[in-house]
Amino acid sequence: MDTAWLSADEEQAWRAFRRLLVALPARIGRDLARDSGLSAADYEVLSTLSEKPDRRWELRELAAKMQWSRSRLSHHAARMQARGLIDKEPDPQDARGCLLHLTDHGFAVLEQAAPHHVASVRSRLLAHVSADELAMLRALSTRIADLPD
């Protein structure tokens, strides 16, 4: 195999990016757990469901958005359901699937967590980038995340 090794600049950028991929989610996740008792996955599920007009989303679509298997999300959703944050309902379009529904309690928990989460994101990331850097970050993140698997 003919390997195109990373240049020194590419390697430094890659290592810095890997460090960010570990450090930033860990720090924001610790803040979220401390401030609200939610995990990052809990927050992702709750916030995504809250964006839907009826606060419902097909489990398989949400699993794809989160890049999780349906089984993994189903198990996580069962734990969230036990805490009263969401309900699982039969999917009228797919007898094998289910819909996840954000409960009123789950929405209230999200409303309590959101201001703390936004403050964490601001202090851990947004306060450290200029408007131009933010625009570049958005463009790079979108372009790379939208690449096909």
Side-chain angles (χ1 to χ4, degrees):
M1 180 173 173
D2 191 21
T3 302
W5 296 105
L6 301 180
S7 70
D9 283 345
E10 290 170 332
E11 184 175 354
Q12 287 175 356
W14 174 240
R15 287 178 184 270
F17 181 68
R18 281 183 28 206
R19 217 172 121 228
L20 179 64
L21 285 177
V22 171
L24 188 61
R27 291 170 183 163
I28 291 173
R30 281 192 301 268
D31 293 346
L32 189 59
R34 179 197 65 222
D35 297 335
S36 68
L38 295 173
S39 69
D42 291 340
Y43 192 87
E44 179 70 17
V45 170
L46 295 177
S47 64
T48 300
L49 291 174
S50 77
E51 295 166 3
K52 292 290 190 176
D54 61 355
R55 301 193 300 202
R56 286 175 173 75
W57 195 313
E58 293 176 25
L59 182 136
R60 67 180 159 77
E61 288 182 8
L62 183 54
K65 177 187 182 292
M66 294 178 70
Q67 305 242 336
W68 281 18
S69 70
R70 285 184 286 184
S71 175
R72 180 180 178 188
L73 180 55
S74 182
H75 288 291
H76 189 83
R79 291 188 296 275
M80 292 180 73
Q81 185 176 22
R83 292 163 43 209
L85 300 172
I86 64 170
D87 282 327
K88 291 167 95 174
E89 303 170 352
D91 183 347
Q93 307 298 322
D94 180 2
R96 296 176 301 147
C98 72
L99 301 175
L100 300 181
H101 172 240
L102 178 61
T103 64
D104 290 341
H105 172 66
F107 189 72
V109 168
L110 178 63
E111 282 186 314
Q112 290 289 317
H116 298 285
H117 180 62
V118 169
S120 174
V121 169
R122 186 170 307 286
S123 71
R124 302 261 185 209
L125 175 66
L126 301 177
H128 307 284
V129 297
S130 69
D132 288 343
E133 290 168 328
L134 185 62
M136 181 170 287
L137 177 62
R138 181 179 52 247
L140 288 170
S141 298
T142 301
R143 183 174 60 208
I144 294 168
D146 288 349
L147 290 172
D149 286 343

